[in-house]
Amino acid sequence: MSDLAIRSLSKSFGGVRAVNDVSFDIKRGEFLALIGPNGAGKSTCFNMINGQLPPDSGEIWFEGAKLNGKKPRDIWRLGIGRTFQVAATFNSMTVIENVQMALISHANQVYRLWKPAASLHRERALELLAQVGMQDAADRPSRELAYGDVKRVELAIALANDPRLLLMDEPTAGMAPKERNDLIALVKRLVIEKGISVLFTEHSMDVVFAFADRIIVLARGRLIADGDAKSIRDNPQVREVYFGTGKTFQKSEAH
Amino acid sequence: MSFNAFLFQALNGLSAASGLFFVAAGLSLIFGVTRIVNIAHGSLYMIGTYIAYSIATKVGGAFGFWGGIVITALLVGLIGAAIEIVLLRRIYRAPELFQLLATFALVLVINDATLWIWGPEDLLGPRAPGLTGSIEVLGRRLPTYDIFLIFVGPFVLWMLHLALAKTRFGRLMRAATQDREMVGALGVNQAMLFTGVFALGALLAGLGGALQIAREPATLATDLIVIGDAFVVVVVGGMGSISGAYLAAVIIAEVKALCIGLGIVNFGGFTVNFSKLTLVAEFLVMAAVLIARPYGLLGREQVAVRSVAEPEEPLRPSTPATKIAGLILLVVLVCLPLIAKNSPYTLVLGIDVLIAVLFATSLHFIMGPGGMHSFGHAAYFGLGAYGAALLVKWFAAPMGLALAAAPMLALVGALLFGWFAVRLSGVYLAMLTLAFAQIVWAAVFQWETLTGGSNGVLGVWPSAPFDTRTPFYFLTLALAAFGVLLLRKFLFAPFGYAMRAGRDSPLRAEAIGLDVKRVHWLAFAIAGAVCGIAGGLFAFAKGSISPETIGVSRSIDGLVMVLLGGIQTLTGPIVGASVYAVLQDYMMRSTEYWRALLGGIILLLVLAFPSGIVGGFVKLISRRKTTSKAAS
């Protein structure tokens, strides 16, 4: 059974068809990479799934529920966690309070006016921070963290509602190669432990080929390939998209 | 009203629109480039009327009038440049809204300087040489000077357009309006650009003021009236849009002229005096535009300016030391009637300060943790005060009931206004809240049969046992302490965290399931209700309530208190309100020029403590700590 089903999704900005008739599935527990050159429509695709952008046409299904027209906060409540391309936390809070905020929201306690928030779900928050290796920084102001650590905290926040699907938009953007591998390895481990499915976009091919179970490739808004690492690597269309054919260069020489 | 009379009023409206346009255009340009909401812009306009009056009467003749207008505009431009260089340049890096406090201080200083130079009387200028006559239009006489004004507005609009489109300075201004950081990164001398823009904006305000002397007398009340109108015009037209400012000026002026023209109209036995609805009409137009087009008629969504302010420290529960200090303060306050046995005035002042503290703390609740900069907190103060006073007046309600009704009425008002306000952000939210406050003010002022109009409601005295000073002081202390501690409790609860989460990053807050607008809306309502308690107490403390005590100046007082204390700390509003209330009281009693003195002190504080009094204190301590650590 597939967790997330995308059916003929399309979105245009002005005359540009940013995402054009894209369909794919994610099976439970699958680690799926969505790759493609800049401007291929990856982020647009993501923002339609997480509810930030309404699709022009097509359908998005998650565990039998249609996501079209739902707000980001409602989609989160269905069990879909997410991390952002540019990671950030709630800067006026400590690291653990960031996680506690998500746990409070998950427990539907947002409108409580009395009990101090800092005393709620502290144990669980520490557990989540321990999973991403950030328990030692729990009581530091989150704005003081290094960027790589912010990414880890963001992951802990995304895990707070026990998601069954995790959407990660360029999880390693802005990180050093060593950090990248560590973070993705961490995600992969957690995903296997908890049986979460993950859809992520990524520019680092090393990361993609080393960790993804399956890879789908977008180019100019269309899905051009879908398969495991080897078949994607050998796909002539994908090579053309990434490396070009040299034709543009030949043409300009012919003049 | 006949069709001809209608057209005639429309022409009148057009001539009034020009003056409005000059101020609004200047305000808009300055905001676009520097992101400063210059409250002192109305003051620059006012100086313009006075300087032009002096030149026109001293020099006399055609040169004195027409030349005087040009010289005035240039002089006011120079004053603007001086303000930018001497004052504002030092605080561009201060937290958001801090420049606001500085420009408000300027309003006070300029107002008293004008009083000192020109005296308190209204001064009516000479008629314009060469344009003293009138011509017949649609069967009525229209002064030629008004016709001249009708054309001056579009002419200046055209000139500004040319300047913005064709000159290098104009291009830089447009670029800076779109992305100030990028302009700086391209190596443009920002200091020069900012000074230039400020001078240009001031020049326009001066020109607008100078042109008015043949129509209206120069008076000291002009500054706040003009800035109120200019805010409305800029917001309706769209921040940073010059054409929008002209369009909006015309719309607002026409609506006003129409209201005056309609006069008293009968709707089947129900009389409405439209000429008294000008204020309400103006702000209703603004509220309607903001709801339909949140960025004004011709405005665009603001590019978020990356905050240069220092980020906020996480909230920590109070340390034992703070708790003890708070307890000592409370004990001192409880003992105050004993300590001040021989000076009964101390208790009166004490009551004022406590009410101010409650008012400022409720405003801080939405401004600080909520990130909603309300410019109209007086609305909820007024609703509370009038709610209590009217219950006493019409139903002879006992004080307990009236004081309980105060927060209820304020809550209803805050729920209604807040629902619209939380849909906007930044300056637009500030202006919409201001508009709502003005609507409340105008309703109170103009609904004479219910509220007593400008006389207000008298005889609102507390009932026994609170009818003497000391018991009433204790009642105020109890309610103020209750309100302050309650809001503090809320901030540490999940709800308060959700407020801050929504402020820190709305996108991220929504992504973890928070309904940010709903959280902020409820916060707005809570703050309104607590503010209503302050209003109710105020009515009983003074024994009366009148429109002037719930006007713009009270909203601004609240802002000043919060910013003065420091917006990023929870004790800030308490300290800020106390300092401000005591200073104001002391200076009002000691000098005629108390406004200038107060303004001067605010300016000093702004320059010395750019993060407020408490904020500055906290920083000082943490610096001590780090240096002593480094030393050991």
Short mmCIF file of all heavy atoms in Angstrom, two decimals, chain B residues 76-107:
data_model
loop_
_atom_site.label_atom_id
_atom_site.label_comp_id
_atom_site.label_asym_id
_atom_site.label_seq_id
_atom_site.Cartn_x
_atom_site.Cartn_y
_atom_site.Cartn_z
N VAL B 76 12.22 74.26 5.77
CA VAL B 76 11.73 73.05 6.45
C VAL B 76 12.49 71.83 5.94
O VAL B 76 12.80 70.91 6.72
CB VAL B 76 10.21 72.89 6.26
CG1 VAL B 76 9.71 71.60 6.89
CG2 VAL B 76 9.46 74.07 6.87
N GLY B 77 12.84 71.84 4.66
CA GLY B 77 13.68 70.77 4.13
C GLY B 77 15.00 70.69 4.88
O GLY B 77 15.47 69.61 5.24
N LEU B 78 15.61 71.85 5.13
CA LEU B 78 16.87 71.90 5.87
C LEU B 78 16.69 71.37 7.29
O LEU B 78 17.52 70.62 7.81
CB LEU B 78 17.40 73.34 5.94
CG LEU B 78 18.16 73.82 4.71
CD1 LEU B 78 18.64 75.26 4.92
CD2 LEU B 78 19.35 72.90 4.44
N ILE B 79 15.57 71.77 7.92
CA ILE B 79 15.29 71.28 9.28
C ILE B 79 15.20 69.75 9.26
O ILE B 79 15.76 69.06 10.12
CB ILE B 79 13.98 71.89 9.82
CG1 ILE B 79 14.15 73.40 9.99
CG2 ILE B 79 13.58 71.24 11.14
CD1 ILE B 79 12.88 74.12 10.38
N GLY B 80 14.52 69.24 8.24
CA GLY B 80 14.40 67.79 8.11
C GLY B 80 15.76 67.13 7.99
O GLY B 80 16.05 66.13 8.66
N ALA B 81 16.62 67.70 7.15
CA ALA B 81 17.96 67.13 6.98
C ALA B 81 18.70 67.15 8.31
O ALA B 81 19.38 66.18 8.68
CB ALA B 81 18.72 67.93 5.93
N ALA B 82 18.55 68.25 9.03
CA ALA B 82 19.25 68.37 10.32
C ALA B 82 18.76 67.30 11.29
O ALA B 82 19.56 66.66 11.99
CB ALA B 82 19.02 69.75 10.91
N ILE B 83 17.44 67.08 11.31
CA ILE B 83 16.88 66.04 12.20
C ILE B 83 17.48 64.68 11.87
O ILE B 83 17.88 63.92 12.74
CB ILE B 83 15.34 66.00 12.06
CG1 ILE B 83 14.72 67.25 12.67
CG2 ILE B 83 14.77 64.75 12.72
CD1 ILE B 83 13.23 67.37 12.44
N GLU B 84 17.56 64.42 10.57
CA GLU B 84 18.08 63.11 10.16
C GLU B 84 19.53 62.95 10.59
O GLU B 84 19.92 61.92 11.13
CB GLU B 84 17.94 62.96 8.64
CG GLU B 84 17.95 61.53 8.16
CD GLU B 84 19.34 60.95 7.99
OE1 GLU B 84 20.32 61.71 7.86
OE2 GLU B 84 19.45 59.72 8.02
N ILE B 85 20.32 63.99 10.35
CA ILE B 85 21.76 63.89 10.62
C ILE B 85 22.03 63.83 12.12
O ILE B 85 22.81 63.00 12.60
CB ILE B 85 22.52 65.08 9.99
CG1 ILE B 85 22.45 64.97 8.47
CG2 ILE B 85 23.96 65.12 10.47
CD1 ILE B 85 22.94 66.20 7.74
N VAL B 86 21.38 64.69 12.87
CA VAL B 86 21.69 64.80 14.29
C VAL B 86 21.10 63.65 15.09
O VAL B 86 21.73 63.11 15.99
CB VAL B 86 21.18 66.14 14.86
CG1 VAL B 86 21.38 66.21 16.36
CG2 VAL B 86 21.90 67.29 14.17
N LEU B 87 19.86 63.27 14.74
CA LEU B 87 19.17 62.32 15.61
C LEU B 87 19.00 60.93 14.99
O LEU B 87 19.52 59.94 15.49
CB LEU B 87 17.79 62.90 15.96
CG LEU B 87 16.90 61.98 16.76
CD1 LEU B 87 17.50 61.74 18.13
CD2 LEU B 87 15.50 62.56 16.88
N LEU B 88 18.27 60.88 13.87
CA LEU B 88 17.83 59.56 13.39
C LEU B 88 18.99 58.68 12.95
O LEU B 88 18.96 57.47 13.12
CB LEU B 88 16.84 59.75 12.24
CG LEU B 88 15.56 60.46 12.66
CD1 LEU B 88 14.66 60.70 11.48
CD2 LEU B 88 14.83 59.63 13.71
N ARG B 89 20.03 59.30 12.39
CA ARG B 89 21.16 58.52 11.91
C ARG B 89 21.77 57.66 13.01
O ARG B 89 22.32 56.61 12.76
CB ARG B 89 22.21 59.47 11.34
CG ARG B 89 23.32 58.77 10.64
CD ARG B 89 24.20 59.74 9.93
NE ARG B 89 23.57 60.30 8.74
CZ ARG B 89 24.17 61.18 7.95
NH1 ARG B 89 25.37 61.59 8.24
NH2 ARG B 89 23.55 61.65 6.89
N ARG B 90 21.65 58.13 14.24
CA ARG B 90 22.25 57.38 15.35
C ARG B 90 21.43 56.16 15.74
O ARG B 90 21.91 55.31 16.48
CB ARG B 90 22.36 58.28 16.58
CG ARG B 90 23.39 59.34 16.41
CD ARG B 90 23.26 60.41 17.45
NE ARG B 90 23.79 61.64 16.93
CZ ARG B 90 25.08 61.90 16.87
NH1 ARG B 90 25.94 61.03 17.32
NH2 ARG B 90 25.51 63.03 16.34
N ILE B 91 20.18 56.10 15.32
CA ILE B 91 19.33 55.02 15.84
C ILE B 91 18.75 54.13 14.75
O ILE B 91 17.80 53.40 15.00
CB ILE B 91 18.19 55.59 16.71
CG1 ILE B 91 17.45 56.68 15.96
CG2 ILE B 91 18.70 56.10 18.02
CD1 ILE B 91 16.24 57.19 16.71
N TYR B 92 19.33 54.14 13.55
CA TYR B 92 18.83 53.23 12.52
C TYR B 92 19.03 51.78 12.93
O TYR B 92 18.28 50.91 12.53
CB TYR B 92 19.54 53.48 11.18
CG TYR B 92 19.02 54.69 10.46
CD1 TYR B 92 19.88 55.68 10.04
CD2 TYR B 92 17.66 54.84 10.22
CE1 TYR B 92 19.40 56.80 9.40
CE2 TYR B 92 17.18 55.96 9.58
CZ TYR B 92 18.05 56.94 9.17
OH TYR B 92 17.58 58.04 8.53
N ARG B 93 20.05 51.51 13.72
CA ARG B 93 20.33 50.14 14.09
C ARG B 93 19.60 49.73 15.37
O ARG B 93 19.72 48.62 15.83
CB ARG B 93 21.83 49.91 14.24
CG ARG B 93 22.59 50.20 12.96
CD ARG B 93 23.98 49.64 13.01
NE ARG B 93 23.98 48.19 12.97
CZ ARG B 93 23.86 47.47 11.86
NH1 ARG B 93 23.74 48.07 10.70
NH2 ARG B 93 23.87 46.17 11.90
N ALA B 94 18.89 50.66 15.96
CA ALA B 94 18.13 50.35 17.17
C ALA B 94 16.95 49.44 16.80
O ALA B 94 16.60 49.33 15.63
CB ALA B 94 17.63 51.63 17.81
N PRO B 95 16.35 48.78 17.78
CA PRO B 95 15.25 47.88 17.48
C PRO B 95 14.13 48.59 16.72
O PRO B 95 13.96 49.80 16.84
CB PRO B 95 14.75 47.44 18.85
CG PRO B 95 15.89 47.63 19.75
CD PRO B 95 16.70 48.76 19.20
N GLU B 96 13.41 47.80 15.98
CA GLU B 96 12.26 48.26 15.22
C GLU B 96 11.38 49.15 16.10
O GLU B 96 11.28 48.93 17.29
CB GLU B 96 11.45 47.04 14.83
CG GLU B 96 11.02 47.01 13.40
CD GLU B 96 10.22 45.73 13.16
OE1 GLU B 96 10.80 44.65 13.34
OE2 GLU B 96 9.05 45.84 12.84
N LEU B 97 10.76 50.14 15.55
CA LEU B 97 9.82 51.00 16.28
C LEU B 97 10.49 51.99 17.21
O LEU B 97 9.86 52.83 17.79
CB LEU B 97 8.84 50.18 17.12
CG LEU B 97 7.60 49.69 16.42
CD1 LEU B 97 6.68 49.04 17.44
CD2 LEU B 97 6.88 50.81 15.72
N PHE B 98 11.81 51.86 17.34
CA PHE B 98 12.47 52.76 18.28
C PHE B 98 12.58 54.16 17.72
O PHE B 98 12.50 55.15 18.45
CB PHE B 98 13.84 52.21 18.62
CG PHE B 98 14.12 52.35 20.05
CD1 PHE B 98 13.42 51.58 20.95
CD2 PHE B 98 15.02 53.28 20.52
CE1 PHE B 98 13.62 51.73 22.29
CE2 PHE B 98 15.23 53.43 21.86
CZ PHE B 98 14.53 52.66 22.75
N GLN B 99 12.72 54.22 16.41
CA GLN B 99 12.75 55.53 15.75
C GLN B 99 11.43 56.25 15.98
O GLN B 99 11.39 57.47 16.05
CB GLN B 99 12.99 55.35 14.24
CG GLN B 99 14.30 54.72 13.90
CD GLN B 99 14.18 53.21 13.77
OE1 GLN B 99 13.16 52.62 14.09
NE2 GLN B 99 15.25 52.58 13.31
N LEU B 100 10.39 55.45 16.09
CA LEU B 100 9.06 56.01 16.33
C LEU B 100 9.03 56.84 17.60
O LEU B 100 8.49 57.93 17.67
CB LEU B 100 8.11 54.83 16.47
CG LEU B 100 6.67 55.17 16.37
CD1 LEU B 100 6.24 54.98 14.95
CD2 LEU B 100 5.89 54.26 17.27
N LEU B 101 9.64 56.24 18.62
CA LEU B 101 9.70 56.92 19.91
C LEU B 101 10.45 58.25 19.76
O LEU B 101 10.02 59.27 20.28
CB LEU B 101 10.46 56.00 20.88
CG LEU B 101 10.41 56.32 22.34
CD1 LEU B 101 8.98 56.37 22.81
CD2 LEU B 101 11.16 55.25 23.11
N ALA B 102 11.54 58.22 19.00
CA ALA B 102 12.33 59.43 18.80
C ALA B 102 11.52 60.48 18.06
O ALA B 102 11.51 61.67 18.44
CB ALA B 102 13.60 59.10 18.03
N THR B 103 10.80 60.06 17.01
CA THR B 103 10.04 61.07 16.26
C THR B 103 8.88 61.59 17.10
O THR B 103 8.50 62.75 16.97
CB THR B 103 9.51 60.52 14.92
OG1 THR B 103 8.68 59.39 15.16
CG2 THR B 103 10.63 60.15 13.99
N PHE B 104 8.36 60.75 17.99
CA PHE B 104 7.30 61.26 18.87
C PHE B 104 7.86 62.32 19.82
O PHE B 104 7.23 63.35 20.07
CB PHE B 104 6.65 60.13 19.66
CG PHE B 104 5.70 60.65 20.71
CD1 PHE B 104 4.52 61.26 20.33
CD2 PHE B 104 6.02 60.56 22.05
CE1 PHE B 104 3.66 61.77 21.29
CE2 PHE B 104 5.16 61.07 23.01
CZ PHE B 104 3.97 61.68 22.63
N ALA B 105 9.07 62.07 20.32
CA ALA B 105 9.71 63.06 21.18
C ALA B 105 9.87 64.38 20.42
O ALA B 105 9.68 65.47 20.98
CB ALA B 105 11.06 62.55 21.65
N LEU B 106 10.19 64.28 19.13
CA LEU B 106 10.32 65.48 18.31
C LEU B 106 9.00 66.25 18.24
O LEU B 106 8.99 67.48 18.25
CB LEU B 106 10.76 65.11 16.90
CG LEU B 106 12.24 64.83 16.69
CD1 LEU B 106 12.47 64.41 15.25
CD2 LEU B 106 13.03 66.08 17.02
N VAL B 107 7.90 65.51 18.16
CA VAL B 107 6.59 66.17 18.13
C VAL B 107 6.44 67.07 19.35
O VAL B 107 6.06 68.24 19.25
CB VAL B 107 5.44 65.13 18.11
CG1 VAL B 107 4.09 65.80 18.30
CG2 VAL B 107 5.46 64.34 16.82
#
